[in-house]
Amino acid sequence: MASSNGNDSSAQQTVTLRIKRQKAPGEAPYWETFKVPYERGMNVISALMKIRLNPETAEGRKTTPVTWDAGCLEEVCGACSMRINGIPRQSCTALIDNLEQPIVLEPFSKFPVIRDLMVDRTPMFESLKRVKAWVPVDGTYHLGPAEKISPEMQQIRYKYSECMTCGCCLEACPQYNGKSAFIGASVIGQSYLFNAHPTGKNLKGDRLDVMMGVGGVVDCGNAQNCVRVCPKGIPLTDAIAAIGGQVTIHAIRKMLHF
Amino acid sequence: MSKNIIVIGGGLAGLAATIKIAEAGFHVDLFSMVPVKRSHSVCAQGGINSAKDMKGEGDHPDLHTTDTLFGGEYLADQPLVQDMCYEGPKIIDLLDRMGVPFNRTPEGNLDFRRFGGTLFQRTAYAGATTGQQLMYALDEQVRRFEADGKVDKYEYWEFLSAIIDDDGICRGVTAMNLWDRTVQAFKGGAVCLATGGPGLIYGKSTNSVINTGAANSRVYQQGVNYANGEFIQVHPTSIPGADKLRLISESVRGEGGRVWVPKNPADKRHPTDIPDSERDYFLERKFPKYGNLVPRDVATREIFDICVNEERGVNGENQVYLDITPERSGQTAEALERKLGGVLEIYRKFQGADPLKEPMKIFPGVHYSMGGLWVSPVDDGGQIKQMTNIPGLFAAGEADFQYHGANRLGANSLLSCIFGGFLAAPRMCEWAASHSKEADQAIYDRELKRQNEINERVLGMTSGSENTFQIHKELGEWMTRYCTVVRRNEDLEKLAGKITEFEERWHKIDINDTAKPANQSFLWTRALWDMLQLAKAIVKGATLRNECRGAHYKPDFDLAMPEKDKMGIPTDTDVYREFVAALEAQNKTTYKPLPPKSGEEVAPEFIDYMTRWVEKEKTWNKSTLATYKEGDQPDISYLPTAMTVEPPKPRIYK
Ligand SMILES: Cc1cc2nc3c(=O)[nH]c(=O)nc-3n(C[C@H](O)[C@H](O)[C@H](O)COP(=O)(O)OP(=O)(O)OC[C@H]3O[C@@H](n4cnc5c(N)ncnc54)[C@H](O)[C@@H]3O)c2cc1C
Ligand code: SF4
Ligand code: SF4
Ligand code: FES
């Protein structure tokens, strides 16, 4: 059993992980159990790193090292998402001390598996294109300073701008399943972010067209799972509500042609 | 005509280059091992420098230049640094226009804070995730070009090699799809490597797991010179973890964070119970002027000295306190949260303690490479800025070498990445336009075949007894132990021998996995070989450089500056320059003038020190150039530094 803090000196302590594996896209998944030595302050990633130093199952059978996605190891790149004990989250901030053992690792279920814990999240980046999640600058040549922005607005935008496209919100969302049209909470958050920028809002109409359409904001069932799992604590439901409001006004405007 | 240009790497440098190239009407193939949005640049926390002088302090790009050159101990290319510092304010304006949520003053202006190695508030920041925010802004602009068909992204693709024609010109690249292991040759009118730094050579560092330096090593092995590799920055404040060293940004000290240890090393009280009178704020004590914001190499050596030499680390371990609690930093908890939230969160998440309630425990960690691929500093005589010695092959960002000299100042890297990318882009376009003759298909086929053969060879490594990750772990331990803060020639020689041993062990690796999709063991094994080659360049450069400069510190060659507070040692460092001039003029015996401002007598040991210093400067103010030699140690040669902006002076921060 995991200790509540890493201070006890049981050097012989081991960490048990059950990992859902898959050899290639489209193949059938299978499970393997691993035991690795415990180390103070360890996270799921360092446990995976220990497995690859000696790729052997708990039963002592030689196997291949586990494949997973990672980058920053400090929860800012969004790469290392997986289901840990059933919850979508980042594996770099998942400290062993805080996890029930055996620790169950699974790849996200709503994206195609490439191998083991690595999935293909391309659709998320494609959605960012659809809502034109950018500020339409004229060019990179010098045009002088930008508009002033109040500290309050900066703080609001900053929060949404921390979205690292990790996909936890989509994995947790009952409306999103990789086959439905629903675009998902993160992109709604990004639409809100750019609609709130003095120049970004020039594309507001285009964004709201997407949000109004099939798979747009109306498909959200308001289950609030997204906010609960977002590792960055982004107030996604606020954005959903705000974009919902913007869509209504946009729709009325369109109807009245002004 | 070839309108296609290849950019490898989608960190800040690569994205900056891509945007400019696409804007100029060329098409970009952009490659990255990870989705570009996840590139290592997202890790940057503290901010980006530019002398916009938004605080009424009289800051100026010239002062930024001076600080950067001085901070880098005069090894950076001076005219380029000056250009960069002059572009800084414009780059910030551009980023602001692109929507980066920079922190604001009450009036709505950009806010700036202090960073190391300067006395000005020169660093713009977006919370404490500035790198992430800048990355996203550039990523969004690139996505816009992508949506317009002007950029094609190859994400989860790894660069393997440059394709070089019979005239020695780079005509494209080979790259491998990491998901299915197919290797392809790509044609490009020009190629830019913006592949970041090699932190992983040190095992655990503050870098992302992709920062192996393998891409840089691959072109080094193809003939690009590797410059100043020995200059590796060890950041003073990181938290050691089982998988990496997590950075605690310099911005914490910029916002008032103070470094200390208990005066009594045996003091076991909780840090918040130790009153100021019983704390040794050793950086403030030793450097009254710059205090906690001395440059990184200086702070790192001091912390190292306290822990390792004086054995005064907290609880007898290699750690010191960094105190950003509201009581000690003089800022409210709310303000600290707004300005440093991202960093504070990292500490809370990984250490389970709140830095606003108790001091953090930190220790130096490998962070950044000042050295990198040699690129030309001038557009002259066939040379082109940011182009390597393989024509048509450019480099920018942490992958190149010329902006930070022997030690990088905090918040200057993000600037140099964007500046370098912007500088490379128009030159690459011009190069592509003027070298438009189609290259012979045979050169692509040849390189493709070579890469497939290497893959086959590595995939055949299934009968050995060595583990590729284990060798890497040991490499990291050895490099960290012998080639970081304190360097000694006998250790470096041992290390070089050890690396040869690692090379031998590499051949006995069992890769444990021959599957096609995302085979990380196979990929790592390829990269590990390349890391070993780069490690050799770093170590040989360090071995031969018998001096102390910036991050490269060899106690055996320390000039031992006379105690600063002693009588007769001038306090105005510009006076030192006068001495240099006088010494240069060979009249040190007759040179009489006293420091004009202070009016102090000059002590003989000062003259003595300056004489040795000038001698050292003459011998060592030059950049190391490593040239790869297969199966051997690299050849080392040296290049003089352009000193056209200001002459060097001894580096004193008191
Ligand atoms: C924790 C931390 C905090 C920092 N904070 C600051 C700060 O506050 N201010 C500051 O100025 N600097 C800071 N730095 C330094 C700065 O972040 C980096 O120097 C800078 O981001 C490097 O950017 P880059 O574009 O050169 O490379 P990177 O951002 O490292 O990007 C490299 C790119 O190359 C790709 N790549 C690499 N190899 C290959 C290959 N073989 N094939 C294909 N693609 C490849 C990667 O996928 C990636 O896209 C910090 C660094 C760290 C580690
Ligand atoms: S609130 Fe909407 S987006 Fe969020 S989880 Fe629920 S259905 Fe999904
Ligand atoms: S909104 Fe949160 S959970 Fe969703 S992708 Fe962004 S960071 Fe991840
Ligand atoms: S590795 Fe970047 S978020 Fe976990």
Side-chain angles (χ1 to χ4, degrees):
Chain A
M1 199 64 251
S3 55
S4 57
N5 62 61
N7 291 337
D8 48 329
S9 57
S10 31
Q12 74 287 0
Q13 219 183 319
T14 56
V15 179
T16 307
L17 303 114
R18 259 174 63 68
I19 303 180
K20 187 177 183 185
R21 306 196 55 179
Q22 186 171 323
K23 291 207 162 94
E27 288 201 12
Y30 60 100
W31 290 85
E32 276 181 348
T33 305
F34 297 89
K35 281 194 192 309
V36 298
Y38 174 83
E39 194 179 314
R40 195 163 65 149
M42 201 171 172
N43 53 2
V44 164
I45 299 244
S46 39
L48 290 168
M49 285 175 164
K50 283 192 196 296
I51 293 178
R52 66 184 188 186
L53 283 174
N54 179 23
E56 234 178 57
T57 64
E59 300 80 31
R61 192 170 41 79
K62 204 176 160 194
T63 182
T64 51
V66 180
T67 292
W68 79 97
D69 216 344
C72 65
L73 305 186
E74 49 195 53
E75 205 172 75
V76 71
C77 80
C80 68
S81 318
M82 55 182 81
R83 294 182 80 95
I84 301 173
N85 289 347
I87 296 172
R89 58 182 296 190
Q90 301 317 107
S91 49
C92 61
T93 40
L95 299 184
I96 299 290
D97 285 346
N98 303 331
L99 293 169
E100 196 64 55
Q101 285 193 38
I103 298 167
V104 180
L105 306 183
E106 296 165 89
F108 272 3
S109 61
K110 299 189 178 171
F111 301 87
V113 172
I114 299 301
R115 186 173 179 187
D116 293 340
L117 301 168
M118 184 185 261
V119 296
D120 180 0
R121 281 168 285 182
T122 311
M124 293 191 73
F125 295 105
E126 288 303 318
S127 303
L128 290 173
K129 268 188 219 158
R130 280 184 62 207
V131 298
K132 303 191 177 169
W134 53 71
V135 173
V137 296
D138 284 347
T140 57
Y141 34 87
H142 191 50
L143 288 173
E147 254 183 71
K148 292 188 185 193
I149 289 182
S150 72
E152 292 72 29
M153 182 46 86
Q154 182 271 338
Q155 284 291 297
I156 292 170
R157 289 194 69 248
Y158 177 71
K159 204 57 229 167
Y160 288 97
S161 192
E162 281 189 293
C163 170
M164 53 187 185
T165 324
C166 67
C168 291
C169 55
L170 302 189
E171 178 68 11
C173 172
Q175 300 298 106
Y176 185 89
N177 60 28
K179 291 183 197 78
S180 65
F182 182 44
I183 200 158
S186 65
V187 178
I188 301 174
Q190 293 301 295
S191 304
Y192 178 76
L193 167 69
F194 288 97
N195 285 358
H197 186 267
T199 325
K201 75 171 176 340
N202 297 351
L203 296 174
K204 190 171 173 179
D206 292 358
R207 287 185 201 110
L208 294 179
D209 283 345
V210 176
M211 286 296 148
M212 226 166 79
V214 181
V217 71
V218 284
D219 285 11
C220 162
N222 208 14
Q224 314 242 347
N225 293 5
C226 50
V227 220
R228 277 194 289 272
V229 295
C230 174
K232 295 279 121 183
I234 297 172
L236 291 164
T237 38
D238 294 358
I240 292 167
I243 289 288
Q246 291 178 13
V247 160
T248 311
I249 296 169
H250 184 64
I252 295 169
R253 280 212 177 131
K254 277 195 113 159
M255 226 153 58
L256 303 176
H257 304 292
F258 73 94
Chain B
M1 127 175 188
S2 175
K3 283 283 247 179
N4 193 52
I5 289 183
I6 293 175
V7 175
I8 312 289
L12 279 180
L15 295 182
T18 299
I19 291 170
K20 281 273 188 205
I21 296 167
E23 204 173 70
F26 286 73
H27 179 270
V28 183
D29 282 336
L30 173 60
F31 292 79
S32 172
M33 283 168 72
V34 294
V36 297
K37 195 173 178 179
R38 310 202 194 287
S39 293
H40 169 64
S41 289
V42 296
C43 287
Q45 301 169 352
I48 174 166
N49 285 339
S50 81
K52 269 182 84 75
D53 191 32
M54 301 280 281
K55 296 279 183 184
E57 298 171 320
D59 197 6
H60 188 276
D62 285 338
L63 298 169
H64 187 186
T65 307
T66 295
D67 284 339
T68 303
L69 296 177
F70 189 54
E73 209 153 350
Y74 298 99
L75 203 58
D77 186 85
Q78 298 201 352
L80 272 182
V81 167
Q82 192 174 42
D83 290 349
M84 171 179 85
C85 295
Y86 270 84
E87 278 306 304
K90 293 183 206 157
I91 288 175
I92 300 293
D93 284 344
L94 173 63
L95 294 166
D96 194 10
R97 279 171 45 221
M98 287 177 175
V100 173
F102 284 118
N103 276 51
R104 301 284 157 170
T105 64
E107 192 187 321
N109 294 315
L110 296 172
D111 198 6
F112 284 78
R113 65 176 157 216
R114 251 191 88 195
F115 245 66
T118 182
L119 297 171
F120 293 94
Q121 297 181 70
R122 185 183 285 154
T123 308
Y125 62 102
T129 61
T130 312
Q132 181 195 37
Q133 298 307 318
L134 303 192
M135 269 296 294
Y136 290 1
L138 298 191
D139 174 61
E140 287 147 11
Q141 296 301 322
V142 168
R143 187 164 295 107
R144 198 178 153 203
F145 284 118
E146 199 189 0
D148 276 354
K150 292 175 180 155
V151 172
D152 277 315
K153 277 190 196 148
Y154 293 83
E155 295 175 321
Y156 290 109
W157 279 75
E158 180 165 339
F159 166 86
L160 296 179
S161 65
I163 295 175
I164 300 166
D165 72 11
D166 296 333
D167 299 326
I169 297 175
C170 176
R171 298 296 199 157
V173 302
T174 62
M176 172 163 55
N177 181 334
L178 300 181
W179 284 355
D180 65 12
R181 208 204 289 147
T182 47
V183 182
Q184 276 182 42
F186 295 86
K187 298 180 182 181
V191 175
C192 183
L193 242 62
T195 38
L200 271 269
I201 290 181
Y202 285 82
K204 288 194 261 183
S205 74
T206 62
N207 289 191
S208 298
V209 294
I210 40 180
N211 290 24
T212 60
N216 307 346
S217 177
R218 286 168 189 163
V219 296
Y220 160 65
Q221 291 169 67
Q222 289 186 291
V224 176
N225 290 321
Y226 198 75
N228 286 341
E230 64 269 33
F231 293 98
I232 296 287
Q233 178 165 80
V234 181
H235 195 288
T237 61
S238 73
I239 42 177
D243 51 341
K244 85 171 286 196
L245 311 175
R246 293 189 174 80
L247 183 79
I248 295 300
S249 167
E250 190 166 288
S251 55
V252 169
R253 281 171 288 138
E255 297 294 350
R258 304 172 71 186
V259 175
W260 63 280
V261 290
K263 280 190 176 157
N264 172 8
D267 197 331
K268 287 280 180 289
R269 279 175 294 175
H270 191 268
T272 48
D273 295 332
I274 303 179
D276 270 341
S277 59
E278 292 174 56
R279 295 176 172 198
D280 180 10
Y281 291 103
F282 53 93
L283 291 176
E284 297 168 32
R285 170 168 59 79
K286 292 186 176 169
F287 307 95
K289 191 160 152 204
Y290 284 80
N292 293 289
L293 286 170
V294 283
R296 292 174 176 176
D297 57 326
V298 179
T300 290
R301 274 194 293 279
E302 294 297 336
I303 295 171
F304 200 80
D305 198 48
I306 289 274
C307 293
V308 179
N309 299 334
E310 298 185 18
E311 298 182 2
R312 293 170 58 211
V314 173
N315 299 330
E317 290 177 41
N318 279 342
Q319 51 186 13
V320 300
Y321 288 125
L322 171 59
D323 204 331
I324 187 71
T325 57
E327 304 78 67
R328 292 318 195 292
S329 62
Q331 297 211 49
T332 63
E334 183 274 322
L336 290 166
E337 202 64 59
R338 184 158 34 81
K339 297 174 175 178
L340 296 172
V343 187
L344 304 175
E345 252 336 278
I346 288 177
Y347 197 83
R348 287 181 191 125
K349 278 191 173 141
F350 290 96
Q351 300 301 98
D354 185 356
L356 295 184
K357 304 226 166 73
E358 58 182 82
M360 297 180 253
K361 289 185 212 148
I362 54 90
F363 194 66
V366 169
H367 182 58
Y368 181 86
S369 172
M370 273 71 74
L373 300 171
W374 181 84
V375 291
S376 167
V378 292
D379 292 319
D380 192 19
Q383 294 194 352
I384 297 174
K385 283 178 185 165
Q386 302 293 139
M387 191 166 87
T388 68
N389 52 308
I390 293 184
L393 179 58
F394 294 70
E398 194 172 334
D400 85 23
F401 88 108
Q402 52 192 356
Y403 293 96
H404 309 289
N407 169 64
R408 169 173 74 85
L409 291 190
N412 259 355
S413 172
L414 299 181
L415 179 62
S416 68
C417 284
I418 296 176
F419 178 75
F422 279 0
L423 207 58
R427 290 167 175 78
M428 292 172 71
C429 297
E430 217 182 294
W431 177 271
S434 59
H435 292 77
S436 50
K437 209 174 99 236
E438 273 283 314
D440 191 356
Q441 181 60 33
I443 62 164
Y444 298 98
D445 299 342
R446 184 173 69 197
E447 187 55 30
L448 193 60
K449 182 156 169 277
R450 187 173 82 97
Q451 291 305 324
N452 277 318
E453 282 167 5
I454 298 177
N455 278 357
E456 287 313 313
R457 218 175 314 136
V458 175
L459 284 164
M461 294 167 65
T462 51
S463 54
S465 53
E466 295 283 354
N467 179 296
T468 184
F469 301 106
Q470 178 64 30
I471 297 177
H472 171 247
K473 187 164 169 269
E474 290 177 38
L475 168 70
E477 284 160 5
W478 275 76
M479 289 295 290
T480 304
R481 177 137 183 223
Y482 292 127
C483 198
T484 47
V485 186
V486 177
R487 298 161 175 195
R488 292 192 167 80
N489 282 344
E490 58 278 19
D491 292 342
L492 291 166
E493 272 152 33
K494 245 195 290 183
L495 175 56
K498 195 73 189 174
I499 294 172
T500 315
E501 213 178 294
F502 291 139
E503 285 184 326
E504 286 157 14
R505 285 172 61 189
W506 184 88
H507 290 284
K508 299 185 195 126
I509 288 172
D510 175 358
I511 59 169
N512 287 319
D513 187 0
T514 53
K516 258 202 174 132
N519 183 335
Q520 294 174 331
S521 188
F522 154 74
L523 295 170
W524 189 261
T525 305
R526 269 204 77 158
L528 178 61
W529 180 261
D530 302 320
M531 290 162 82
L532 290 169
Q533 304 318 306
L534 218 48
K536 279 159 67 172
I538 295 171
V539 172
K540 177 116 185 242
T543 312
L544 296 186
R545 187 176 281 277
N546 282 332
E547 66 151 351
C548 300
R549 186 180 299 274
H552 175 75
Y553 175 68
K554 276 189 176 172
D556 296 343
F557 297 90
D558 192 350
L559 291 188
M561 186 175 304
E563 270 304 316
K564 188 81 192 330
D565 335 319
K566 242 170 104 178
M567 278 283 294
I569 307 297
T571 41
D572 179 353
T573 46
D574 283 336
V575 171
Y576 289 57
R577 282 224 178 94
E578 289 181 29
F579 269 83
V580 178
L583 287 166
E584 283 293 307
Q586 294 300 312
N587 59 353
K588 75 177 185 197
T589 42
T590 55
Y591 184 72
K592 271 275 174 242
L594 295 178
K597 288 170 204 148
S598 58
E600 293 170 61
E601 272 298 328
V602 175
E605 61 254 56
F606 175 69
I607 300 203
D608 182 48
Y609 166 76
M610 285 307 294
T611 313
R612 285 181 289 133
W613 181 82
V614 168
E615 217 27 67
K616 168 188 113 106
E617 224 28 47
K618 277 192 192 149
T619 323
W620 282 113
N621 198 323
K622 56 192 181 188
S623 288
T624 307
L625 269 195
T627 311
Y628 175 73
K629 271 173 74 189
E630 195 174 341
D632 201 348
Q633 296 294 331
D635 270 337
I636 301 283
S637 55
Y638 294 95
L639 268 186
T641 315
M643 290 292 177
T644 49
V645 178
E646 58 184 58
K649 61 181 182 182
R651 196 153 157 269
I652 297 166
Y653 281 98
K654 308 230 168 172

